[in-house]
Amino acid sequence: MNKDQVKGVIKDVAGKVQETAGKMDDNKGQQVKGLNKQISGKSEKIYGDAREVVKDAHKHS
């Protein structure tokens, strides 16, 4: 795993926690912030995954 994958997973989990806390408090703002953080985390992980694929392809060429 590269740093983008790790940071993405951490951000995704933090977003899920924030969204859940917002649901428990009935705070729509926190729910939205949590969802946004999850999207950002998933995007960062996908970017990291792509970097790994390119790195692996480069090794095999």
Side-chain angles (χ1 to χ4, degrees):
M1 282 187 105
N2 62 41
K3 66 179 181 175
D4 294 310
Q5 290 170 311
V6 173
K7 286 168 53 177
V9 170
I10 291 170
K11 206 178 277 186
D12 182 32
V13 171
K16 288 177 184 175
V17 170
Q18 187 172 15
E19 178 191 10
T20 302
K23 285 180 181 177
M24 291 173 62
D25 291 340
D26 197 28
N27 184 331
K28 300 289 184 202
Q30 287 301 317
Q31 289 178 34
V32 170
K33 287 179 183 178
L35 289 169
N36 285 335
K37 196 175 284 187
Q38 288 176 57
I39 291 168
S40 175
K42 286 179 187 353
S43 299
E44 192 163 0
K45 183 179 180 307
I46 289 169
Y47 173 72
D49 292 344
R51 283 185 53 200
E52 286 293 312
V53 168
V54 169
K55 186 172 100 177
D56 289 344
H58 185 51
K59 283 183 184 177
H60 297 270
S61 59

